[in-house]
Amino acid sequence: MDLIRKLSQIPMFDGLSNEMLTEIAAITTAHEVPKGKVIFSDGEEANGFYAIAEGRIKIYKLSPEGKEQILHVFGPGEAFGEVPVFSGRHFPAYAEAIEPSLVLFFPKEKFISLIKSEPMLALGMLADLSRRLRYFANLIENLSLKEVPGRLAAHLLYLSERQEDSNELTLDLNKTQLASLLGTIPETLSRILARMTKEGLIELLDNRQVRILDRESIEELANGERRLG
């Protein structure tokens, strides 16, 4: 693996010199993570953070009854677990590989030392954390104020934006995981997908592929300006 090239593909390291990337690479360790392996647990001491070189990682919470609520799914190039490294001692949620993954680990103390010597590194982290804050603000709004069809429509638009604003997109989760992310159950999600298909808003293709047929209506549904029949 070309570690420096992998590091350069992480948004928070965008614009750093090769010399700085080399210094980061010197403190970085790579770990192969099999599907289903928990990388860190809720309440575990945070002695560093991670970024994904390959694969996908879900971040989730568990209720006292054991019900899982997915908060986010990260893919290649994205960092995760960095907030508690700077704001607290413990991870506030679980992280688990949902497919075989390669993750990069950055130890807390050594990384903080690099930040002190390179202000651009701190600015990159602030920009990345700001994007994350905006995402979670939208997630809270969706879960608390929107009905499930609106949450699904907002998620489809989010995926479309991540996938180069394409109207043909790939769902990043299976039906059970997506239902958890949207705060519903798989049966309800299936009914909503069927209704959206019947009304001509989307077309379900193979292998988690969805084609948006009526983007304006999807946007209205996401904004609460439209309801499914």
Side-chain angles (χ1 to χ4, degrees):
M1 180 185 64
D2 185 345
L3 184 54
I4 293 179
R5 180 176 60 83
K6 293 289 187 184
L7 291 172
S8 69
Q9 295 170 346
I10 298 173
M12 72 166 60
F13 300 149
D14 185 44
L16 295 181
S17 65
N18 283 335
E19 290 77 13
M20 191 68 223
L21 291 174
T22 300
E23 290 189 49
I24 297 173
I27 68 167
T28 303
T29 55
H31 303 272
E32 294 185 358
V33 184
K35 178 180 178 180
K37 180 177 176 60
V38 174
I39 298 170
F40 56 74
S41 299
D42 190 350
E44 182 179 325
E45 185 174 358
N47 58 359
F49 72 99
Y50 301 82
I52 304 171
E54 300 171 9
R56 290 184 301 153
I57 306 296
K58 68 175 179 180
I59 307 297
Y60 64 97
K61 296 280 286 185
L62 289 177
S63 72
E65 297 77 26
K67 181 180 178 182
E68 179 182 296
Q69 172 64 58
I70 296 177
L71 303 176
H72 195 59
V73 175
F74 294 103
E78 295 185 287
F80 65 97
E82 68 271 44
V83 175
V85 170
F86 303 99
S87 64
R89 295 180 56 190
H90 303 96
F91 291 113
Y94 293 85
E96 179 183 321
I98 58 176
E99 60 185 48
S101 302
L102 179 66
V103 300
L104 309 177
F105 176 72
F106 308 92
K108 176 180 178 178
E109 299 301 331
K110 292 181 179 180
F111 195 83
I112 290 177
S113 295
L114 289 181
I115 286 179
K116 291 178 180 178
S117 65
E118 181 51 68
M120 281 294 294
L121 184 55
L123 290 175
M125 292 202 71
L126 284 173
D128 192 60
L129 292 173
S130 296
R131 288 192 293 268
R132 194 82 47 79
L133 179 61
R134 186 166 57 249
Y135 168 81
F136 280 113
N138 290 334
L139 176 64
I140 292 171
E141 178 184 357
N142 290 340
L143 290 175
S144 60
L145 300 179
K146 295 180 181 178
E147 296 181 348
V148 180
R151 299 176 206 166
L152 176 58
H155 186 67
L156 293 178
L157 293 173
Y158 167 73
L159 290 179
S160 175
E161 180 182 349
R162 289 184 63 187
Q163 298 173 26
E164 300 180 352
D165 289 321
S166 172
N167 281 332
E168 189 166 317
L169 51 92
T170 301
L171 295 179
D172 53 351
L173 299 168
N174 63 38
K175 192 171 293 184
T176 299
Q177 294 166 338
L178 181 55
S180 172
L181 178 66
L182 299 177
T184 186
I185 59 177
E187 292 78 10
T188 299
L189 178 61
S190 294
R191 288 196 296 270
I192 293 171
L193 286 169
R195 285 162 59 190
M196 293 174 72
T197 300
K198 183 178 180 180
E199 295 188 18
L201 276 61
I202 63 172
E203 179 182 1
L204 299 179
L205 307 174
D206 294 332
N207 299 321
R208 299 186 188 174
Q209 298 292 311
V210 176
R211 179 179 292 130
I212 296 177
L213 301 178
D214 187 344
R215 194 177 188 91
E216 182 177 351
S217 293
I218 291 291
E219 291 173 346
E220 290 174 352
L221 191 60
N223 293 330
E225 301 168 358
R226 174 192 175 102
R227 297 173 66 92
L228 288 177

